[in-house]
Amino acid sequence: MRFRCKRADLSQAVGVVASAVPARTSVPILQNIKVTAADGELTLTATDLEMGLRYSVRDVGIQKSGAAVLPAQKLNQIVRDIRDDEVKFDVDGKLCSIEIEGGQFKLTGADPQDFPQFPEFDEKKAVRINVDDFRDMVRKTAFAVSSEPSRYALTGVLFVIRENEARMVGTDGKRLAYAKKKIKGGPRDEVKVIVPPKALHLVEKIIAEGDEEIAFEFEETQMKAKTSAGTLFARLVEGSFPNYEDVIPGDPDKKVQVNPGELEYRLRLATSMTDDKSRAVKFQLSKDKLKLFARRITGEAGEASHEVAVKYAGPDFEISFNPDFFIDFLKVVAGGRPDVADSEADTKVEARAEAKADKAKGKKAAKEEKPKAPPPEPVEAPSTITLDLRDKLTAGVIRAGRDYIYLVMPLTIDV
Amino acid sequence: MSRETASADKPLTILHVDMDAFYAAVEVRDHPELRGKPVIVGGPSRSRGVVSSATYEARKFGVRSAMPSAQAARLCPQGVFMPVRMERYLEVSREVMRIFRSFTPLVEPLSLDEAFLDVAGAERLFGDGPAIGRKIKERIRAELGLVASVGVSYVKYLAKLASDLEKPDGFVIIRPEDVERRLPPLPISRLWGVGPKTESRLQALGLRTIGDVRAAGEERLVRELGDFGAHISRLARGEDDRHVEPSWDAKSIGAERTFERDLSALASMERELLEIAEDVGSRLRAEAVAARTVQIKVRFHDFRTITRSRTLERPTDITREIFDVARDLLQEKAGVKGARVRLLGIQGQNLAPPGTGQGTLFGEKSRAKERRLDKVIDALRHKMGHDAVVRARTREESR
């Protein structure tokens, strides 16, 4: 195999598929990326067997088609470090040489025959979702899943697609995030699967500029997703997802309207005075007033008491919550992403953004500049959210618009 | 003993009360025909059981707690072996603690049969520390028919030391002015925290008595033993700044079992674990507390012992939940696959009032069901004895 291609394009592609390479594995070949050159296109593949990514680079000068399996970490490092606009690859058997102006690298790879097969996407079974809708639902729900392996079904996001509606639900059993979108041309038979959040984040990575839709194919135990540039497969989470609609309490008699930015600001202030071990903020409601109260009894002891102007006409009422659950949600409402348990996801997203910026700048892509990529879609933060409460043992229901619902179970604790 | 005076800055308000041969004494009280006999509470002598407690009549033969029952039977062939009835001891223990709490809320139980009390503030009602100590001893005898040894002093260490000095039926006061006379002749094993290991280290340094430790000086001990050296040299001077902590945190509730034959099948370990979880759950419920942390203990055939624990979102007193966590820990963290297990135990730690903590969205119904089931089992066992009800899972195979 022999080809030459643009460094920036290759660097971006390697960055994308590298996020599917397992950090630790008992199957050494999985720490490699498979590179195939044919028909003017490079195809890069990586997998940890649970999920996998395939990503293409176009407009490649191929002198001799073929395939190679190269160590992912070294390859990634090399294509990021070099400053040349173009690189040349020459692979003979397992031996690969990467040539640039005034130097070369030699790498030893593995036999392409030994690399796991990548499942083919069946276009006939495709279910299509709008890119913005998909990103928005992932952002609104994936942060809420459980990181507790013993609650296996809750470690994934429930993904439901019907004829005219798509939904995602994430919950760890203590709070629940539920987002939905109106769609057109969905499947006649409902799709209902549980997807690991990492797979959803990988789908976001293969979205290329100009993509409007993502095609999904659902099978018994796995999901595939396809964009103009890449394909993903991921094993689904098995198990039964709890009945999330049943736990949304009806008939709240206490309805609060509040500005999300103001609530987030005041909650953060109060949170500084919670105990490390049992984080709790007491919400004290009275006519048009919400008082947030926290007390710290261990270590640097103290109290915090902060008021938020709200619209409230119900009876005086007190209830305590873990403020972190609220802050996660309020971050999303403000257009951000809460910290996800999989911290890897964030750094990889950044790597991609950087690569993308390089690509946009074309030939003179300078490694030293690392401009932040603009957010995929601007989010308009609503000026009001509603918080519905019933009693001290029932979940609080927060709504931001009609299509985003968030439940938080209270704490029963003395603050 | 000196005159009953105490310096103002060292009031005699710390008590340590220790029940004498507690489990064995409860058995003798419940079975009057055993009075005066060498009674040994523990696992049966033909198996791998160990002695939990022995009357002073049995101790004359050299029987000690934690000794294998078989050895106890050899030392004391006429000994009367009684099985451990933990629930009964718990019940009596609660009575004992109730007596303590009628004098002061500052009670720090160390186990079922001993506790520290801080009676500062109770003196106007009940008299000074020594007077309260005598009253407690008398009430335990009159109301429960049991004997306690009491130590009275101005710090915890000295109170604990005092209760042990004239056991059984002891009553010893250590005043500030007694320290110079009483402490130096005592062996170093009387220093709180000095076990056989440290003891031999100290002996290697030529230190045999508390007097030797005092003479060696703090500087040398710190050089030899680090922080622990500073600690024991303070104790040797009769200094101890620890308070009586009545907090929940100071306590834990646990149960463990040593098996007659090592277990190697995971299924049989789980069966045992469920019974242990049942014990721990019913004791938590009896005390109206819940455990935020569940810890398991595993002892392998070679006596290697490990503990693994998990802290829960919300404290539990539900047998099923305790078992589920314990089983998870056993399967995933204990490395019992292919091993031979000699002992299993569960401990509920980080105790808190039940029903507190983070609420959950799912599973509330099944949790309520488990709670009702626990209640029924507790009530039946209370009325008809421990074996009146057995969970189906534990019956699959007779042990």
Side-chain angles (χ1 to χ4, degrees):
Chain A
M1 180 174 73
R2 201 155 54 237
F3 65 86
R4 65 170 68 220
C5 76
K6 292 201 192 84
R7 185 208 67 86
D9 290 0
L10 184 63
S11 168
Q12 190 223 350
V14 171
V16 170
V17 297
S19 43
V21 174
R24 281 176 302 276
T25 173
S26 53
V27 188
I29 199 165
L30 300 183
Q31 292 192 310
N32 293 274
I33 290 173
K34 184 179 173 185
V35 182
T36 311
D39 307 324
E41 212 174 88
L42 271 191
T43 308
L44 277 61
T45 313
T47 178
D48 64 0
L49 301 179
E50 290 288 309
M51 47 189 96
L53 281 181
R54 186 163 69 188
Y55 200 79
S56 314
V57 184
R58 301 216 171 84
D59 304 322
V60 178
I62 298 172
Q63 285 156 293
K64 194 179 166 197
S65 48
V69 170
L70 305 172
Q73 220 189 333
K74 281 287 160 253
L75 184 63
N76 199 4
Q77 193 189 343
I78 289 168
V79 296
R80 272 159 148 267
D81 285 351
I82 53 185
R83 296 182 185 175
D84 291 37
D85 288 343
E86 226 181 38
V87 281
K88 243 171 80 185
F89 278 67
D90 197 338
V91 180
D92 185 11
K94 289 183 189 173
L95 208 68
C96 169
S97 80
I98 304 170
E99 286 155 35
I100 58 169
E101 197 72 32
Q104 65 165 351
F105 299 90
K106 283 199 188 297
L107 289 177
T108 311
D111 187 346
Q113 297 285 329
D114 297 338
F115 203 79
Q117 284 286 313
F118 198 92
E120 284 309 312
F121 191 94
D122 186 350
E123 292 284 350
K124 284 190 298 243
K125 294 183 189 159
V127 173
R128 290 171 206 282
I129 299 285
N130 176 277
V131 163
D132 291 340
D133 285 350
F134 176 81
R135 276 188 176 140
D136 193 49
M137 287 193 291
V138 171
R139 190 178 65 86
K140 284 175 170 172
T141 58
F143 72 90
V145 305
S146 171
S147 53
E148 191 66 49
S150 63
R151 313 207 65 181
Y152 189 54
L154 300 189
T155 61
V157 174
L158 182 75
F159 189 12
V160 180
I161 312 172
R162 295 175 182 161
E163 207 166 353
N164 49 20
E165 192 188 70
R167 294 176 175 188
M168 282 192 196
V169 182
T171 179
D172 59 4
K174 292 161 266 175
R175 41 84 181 269
L176 179 148
Y178 171 17
K180 57 183 178 184
K181 297 279 175 191
K182 285 212 159 59
I183 61 164
K184 278 182 192 140
R188 230 165 291 149
D189 297 327
E190 181 189 75
V191 170
K192 195 172 184 181
V193 292
I194 309 173
V195 187
K198 186 180 176 192
L200 296 174
H201 295 307
L202 292 184
V203 172
E204 293 184 291
K205 287 190 186 183
I206 56 169
I207 296 172
E209 281 175 61
D211 281 350
E212 282 183 6
E213 284 182 334
I214 306 161
F216 290 93
E217 185 197 339
F218 298 97
E219 288 173 281
E220 192 73 23
T221 58
Q222 70 175 357
M223 174 186 97
K224 282 173 254 175
K226 193 167 183 282
T227 64
S228 65
T231 310
L232 158 134
F233 80 87
R235 189 173 298 174
L236 296 169
V237 176
E238 283 169 53
S240 60
F241 202 83
N243 194 339
Y244 59 98
E245 282 165 306
D246 271 7
V247 297
I248 303 174
D251 311 320
D253 59 345
K254 305 172 189 75
K255 288 173 168 292
V256 187
Q257 284 182 43
V258 60
N259 177 285
E262 178 68 10
L263 180 59
E264 185 183 355
Y265 168 62
R266 292 290 170 182
L267 260 178
R268 281 182 191 281
L269 295 181
T271 303
S272 63
M273 278 297 167
T274 54
D275 266 320
D276 302 333
K277 219 165 96 180
S278 57
R279 296 170 71 79
V281 170
K282 193 193 281 181
F283 288 51
Q284 294 171 301
L285 276 168
S286 53
K287 169 117 186 77
D288 290 338
K289 200 166 86 181
L290 169 62
K291 201 172 113 190
L292 302 171
F293 178 77
R295 173 181 288 153
R296 201 179 151 84
I297 51 170
T298 52
E300 298 151 317
E303 286 180 5
S305 173
H306 290 274
E307 266 181 38
V308 189
V310 297
K311 246 186 171 165
Y312 179 67
D316 288 6
F317 181 64
E318 279 186 7
I319 188 168
S320 296
F321 291 104
N322 179 337
D324 300 340
F325 291 159
F326 269 80
I327 290 170
D328 280 352
F329 171 81
L330 294 167
K331 266 191 205 162
V332 172
V333 169
R337 275 178 190 251
D339 303 328
V340 279
D342 179 15
S343 58
E344 202 186 26
D346 276 358
T347 55
K348 292 279 167 55
V349 167
E350 227 172 303
R352 171 174 169 265
E354 174 202 317
K356 207 167 158 184
D358 284 354
K359 188 181 175 185
K361 283 166 129 197
K363 286 173 189 139
K364 295 280 172 209
K367 281 291 304 170
E368 294 74 21
E369 298 167 37
K370 290 184 182 174
K372 289 265 179 209
E377 77 276 15
V379 174
E380 213 176 295
S383 61
T384 309
I385 55 170
T386 62
L387 167 62
D388 295 348
L389 299 167
R390 206 164 65 186
D391 55 55
K392 288 188 180 198
L393 298 174
T394 307
V397 185
I398 322 173
R399 282 172 223 265
R402 219 177 284 161
D403 296 335
Y404 189 24
I405 302 176
Y406 188 68
L407 308 185
V408 190
M409 281 303 285
L411 288 159
T412 42
I413 198 165
D414 286 328
V415 182
Chain B
M1 214 139 297
S2 353
R3 288 157 294 118
E4 298 212 329
T5 54
S7 52
D9 62 327
K10 289 177 176 173
L12 299 172
T13 55
I14 309 295
L15 274 61
H16 181 257
V17 185
D18 194 1
M19 304 298 293
D20 296 336
F22 183 56
Y23 300 175
V26 171
E27 293 302 338
V28 172
R29 191 195 66 173
D30 288 356
H31 305 93
E33 70 276 12
L34 297 178
R35 194 164 294 280
K37 292 195 175 140
V39 175
I40 299 165
V41 176
S45 56
R46 60 190 141 65
S47 68
R48 291 235 294 239
V50 293
V51 174
S52 293
S53 172
T55 57
Y56 287 88
E57 288 85 353
R59 293 186 193 199
K60 278 184 200 137
F61 292 90
V63 176
R64 296 283 177 272
S65 46
M67 169 184 283
S69 296
Q71 188 188 348
R74 274 197 306 277
L75 290 168
C76 181
Q78 63 274 59
V80 184
F81 278 85
M82 301 293 286
V84 180
R85 293 188 301 155
M86 194 47 77
E87 260 143 294
R88 180 74 183 127
Y89 312 142
L90 245 164
E91 229 171 71
V92 181
S93 168
R94 276 200 295 278
E95 295 294 307
V96 174
M97 298 296 164
R98 193 178 49 77
I99 292 177
F100 296 164
R101 292 200 171 96
S102 69
F103 289 93
T104 172
L106 299 179
V107 176
E108 178 184 341
L110 296 179
S111 65
L112 288 187
D113 58 354
E114 67 177 307
F116 280 112
L117 285 71
D118 185 341
V119 297
E123 292 161 294
R124 269 200 13 223
L125 274 171
F126 302 108
D128 63 5
I132 293 175
R134 287 200 185 89
K135 280 186 180 138
I136 287 175
K137 233 173 117 67
E138 183 42 39
R139 279 188 59 187
I140 289 174
R141 190 190 306 273
E143 293 174 27
L144 305 176
L146 295 169
V147 181
S149 289
V150 175
V152 184
S153 191
Y154 54 95
V155 294
K156 277 167 101 173
Y157 165 59
L158 295 176
K160 190 171 163 68
L161 182 71
S163 73
D164 202 39
L165 282 176
E166 290 173 19
K167 236 174 177 328
D169 204 9
F171 184 86
V172 175
I173 303 169
I174 298 182
R175 298 183 174 74
E177 60 269 30
D178 299 333
V179 170
E180 291 299 323
R181 177 174 57 85
R182 286 223 121 165
L183 263 54
L186 297 172
I188 45 174
S189 57
R190 294 283 192 154
L191 288 168
W192 199 358
V194 172
K197 239 184 176 165
T198 338
E199 193 178 345
S200 53
R201 272 189 80 182
L202 291 170
Q203 279 173 352
L205 298 173
L207 309 176
R208 291 198 152 61
T209 64
I210 294 180
D212 294 342
V213 171
R214 289 166 67 122
E218 184 162 348
E219 212 172 294
R220 171 159 176 233
L221 287 168
V222 171
R223 214 165 45 235
E224 299 283 355
L225 301 165
D227 285 347
F228 189 71
H231 171 72
I232 60 168
S233 100
R234 277 196 297 274
L235 292 184
R237 294 195 299 267
E239 293 165 18
D240 181 5
D241 55 9
R242 287 169 292 187
H243 294 286
V244 173
E245 307 266 7
S247 72
W248 299 107
D249 288 359
K251 255 176 59 173
S252 63
I253 287 181
E256 56 185 51
R257 288 184 176 193
T258 304
F259 309 116
E260 294 181 19
R261 255 172 281 149
D262 292 339
L263 304 181
S264 48
L266 193 60
S268 46
M269 292 181 215
E270 287 181 11
R271 225 162 15 243
E272 293 292 343
L273 214 52
L274 178 55
E275 288 208 22
I276 300 166
E278 187 93 77
D279 278 0
V280 175
S282 79
R283 288 174 54 186
L284 288 167
R285 295 189 291 275
E287 305 240 334
V289 291
R292 183 184 280 276
T293 302
V294 173
Q295 185 191 64
I296 62 161
K297 176 171 163 186
V298 181
R299 178 166 296 149
F300 297 95
H301 74 285
D302 56 0
F303 282 83
R304 188 169 60 87
T305 307
I306 58 156
T307 59
R308 296 289 182 266
S309 65
R310 180 177 300 161
T311 296
L312 312 170
E313 281 293 336
R314 120 169 122 166
T316 186
D317 61 355
I318 298 173
T319 295
R320 180 85 229 173
E321 289 186 348
I322 297 165
F323 171 65
D324 284 347
V325 176
R327 186 187 49 188
D328 264 21
L329 290 169
L330 183 76
Q331 286 178 353
E332 284 157 30
K333 309 270 190 236
V336 293
K337 212 173 168 189
R340 276 151 52 206
V341 170
R342 184 188 161 85
L343 171 149
L344 285 173
I346 300 177
Q347 197 167 60
Q349 303 170 329
N350 247 328
L351 303 185
T356 52
Q358 172 67 53
T360 54
L361 284 160
F362 314 109
E364 282 303 330
K365 272 184 203 148
S366 65
R367 196 167 293 127
K369 217 172 100 193
E370 288 295 336
R371 209 166 255 136
R372 282 197 299 277
L373 178 63
D374 283 345
K375 224 171 165 177
V376 171
I377 292 179
D378 289 348
L380 281 174
R381 286 193 164 163
H382 187 74
K383 235 197 240 161
M384 304 159 75
H386 183 274
D387 295 334
V389 269
V390 181
R391 278 181 202 249
R393 208 192 150 101
T394 61
R395 284 208 46 161
E396 280 161 24
E397 189 183 286
S398 61
R399 279 176 296 117

